[in-house]
Amino acid sequence: MTKQISSSTKVKSLSKRTIAVRSGLNSDEQHGAVIPKISLSTCYGFAEFAKPRSFDYGRKSTPNRDSVEQTIAALEGGVDAILTNTGMSAIHLLSVALLSPNDLVIAPHDCYGGSYRLFNSLSQKGYFKTQFVEQSNEQALKQALQQKPKLILIETPSNPLLRVVDIQKIAKLAHEVGAIVVVDNTFMTPILQSPFELGADVIIHSCTKFLNGHSDLLAGVLVFKEQSLADDVLWWSNNIGTANSSFDAYLLQRGLRTLSVRVLTQQESALKIVNFLNNHPKIAAVHHPSLPSTPGHDIAKKQQKGFGSLLSFEIKGSADKTPLFIEQLKIFTLAQSLGGTESLISHPTTMTHSGISAEARKAAGISDQLLRISVGLEDVNDLIEDLEQALNAI
Ligand SMILES: *Cc1c(COP(=O)(O)O)cnc(C)c1O
């Protein structure tokens, strides 16, 4: 399939910050518009009989989608990318494209709730088989790999406890049995973690989160290291119809320009909040890859380029303190997404993880007091003051 490469993202040696800022700029040859146009047409005229141009039909590819795909591929160091209408549809597309009924998927026992539900429900329908494994447990992992899975999904840091697993080690073991290694890099973004350098074959993002960063669109992306795999999956993308709109692709490109500054500032603020909570007498525990008490801290130090802006914590005492605390907050919004410019707080028991049984939550270490924060771009002093006044009030 022909794809137009945006001129500003072709240069491999540019820093990620520059690649993101210059995404799709100066691509208008007619008027010299600096910012790319939104190309709403669903179909494209053929150059002549039997000669399509770069684009023919919008389900397959559009200029706006193509431009964002090239940018995200460049940011991750991949050869190609496929943009989809949600993160879940990216994972679904990959599953449909790669898996047959006898194939086994190994997924993390604590993976994103939507991924857990998708793998579980499709397995129950017989599309493929799934085994959920605690991937930091080397013995359990090796045992699962003996069944020669077709695909292994790695997600690190985990949600909501921010536990880190060793991508390089897991990828090496998985490759020994011929599995395709897929890393969900949503939490880290290409700025803070480079899964291809650690052995991944495919990278997934929910662009709904940090890549767009403004909580105003849904999108997902698959990034590939090998063109042949990308071409197979692209055929399926067109076959199923997983495309997103040109308008959303345009907005995503707009959000991407500030990716590096957002991610770096948000994680700087997160470190200050972690420090504040960790020293507060009313806090029982703080979970963040920067802390030696969080499993995988040593791996995070070598594997990640930073510790990220997601953290979770538990308030001391009875569970009724948690809703009281949330009620007192003036800045943080009680909502369950992440990676936006606005700071959000969520309560896994009643929100993201409410579909999981109480016993399973307990086994996974998710208490009813656990709260997760996605640190935004507000002044960190205001955020800390907000947390402090709410803690003082309970
Ligand atoms: C949100 C999320 C997804 C799903 O993405 P949607 O865009 O909401 O469909 C997948 N993986 C992780 C880690 C996520 O945070």
Side-chain angles (χ1 to χ4, degrees), residues 51-85:
K51 276 229 167 100
R53 296 179 219 247
S54 305
F55 303 97
D56 52 20
Y57 188 58
R59 184 175 355 96
K60 193 158 72 183
S61 193
T62 66
N64 292 102
R65 252 189 357 257
D66 180 58
S67 183
V68 174
E69 286 165 348
Q70 296 308 321
T71 303
I72 297 175
L75 288 172
E76 286 290 19
V79 297
D80 208 347
I82 301 172
L83 202 61
T84 62
N85 54 11

Side-chain angles (χ1 to χ4, degrees), residues 85-89 91 111-112 114-115 155 157 159 184-187 204-209 217-220 337-338 372:
N85 54 11
T86 63
M88 287 322 303
S89 80
I91 300 171
C111 68
Y112 177 70
S115 308
E155 201 182 302
N159 180 28
D184 186 330
N185 207 24
T186 301
F187 273 30
I204 296 172
H205 284 278
S206 166
C207 307
T208 313
K209 315 292 169 54
L217 66 83
L218 293 158
S337 192
L338 59 103
R372 188 191 75 189

Side-chain angles (χ1 to χ4, degrees), residues 277-294:
L277 291 172
N278 214 18
N279 289 303
H280 198 285
K282 288 190 180 172
I283 299 298
V286 184
H287 311 280
H288 188 250
S290 67
L291 299 170
S293 55
T294 297

Side-chain angles (χ1 to χ4, degrees), residues 282 284 313-327 346-350 361 366-371 391 394:
K282 288 190 180 172
F313 64 101
E314 287 150 71
I315 294 171
K316 266 190 198 155
S318 57
D320 57 356
K321 295 226 158 116
T322 299
L324 288 177
F325 169 77
I326 288 175
E327 272 167 36
S346 69
H347 181 235
T349 298
T350 54
R361 271 200 307 269
I366 302 168
S367 77
D368 290 349
Q369 279 98 321
L370 188 73
L371 292 169
L391 284 168
I394 61 167

Side-chain angles (χ1 to χ4, degrees), residues 323-389:
L324 288 177
F325 169 77
I326 288 175
E327 272 167 36
Q328 295 299 323
L329 289 170
K330 294 181 170 64
I331 300 177
F332 289 86
T333 305
L334 180 64
Q336 62 188 24
S337 192
L338 59 103
T341 54
E342 70 291 344
S343 291
L344 301 179
I345 191 160
S346 69
H347 181 235
T349 298
T350 54
M351 295 164 73
T352 45
H353 291 64
S354 60
I356 301 172
S357 71
E359 304 85 74
R361 271 200 307 269
K362 201 169 167 213
I366 302 168
S367 77
D368 290 349
Q369 279 98 321
L370 188 73
L371 292 169
R372 188 191 75 189
I373 282 181
S374 171
V375 180
L377 281 179
E378 303 90 342
D379 188 318
V380 66
N381 296 318
D382 291 337
L383 295 177
I384 290 175
E385 227 168 87
D386 194 23
L387 294 169
E388 189 161 34
Q389 63 81 23

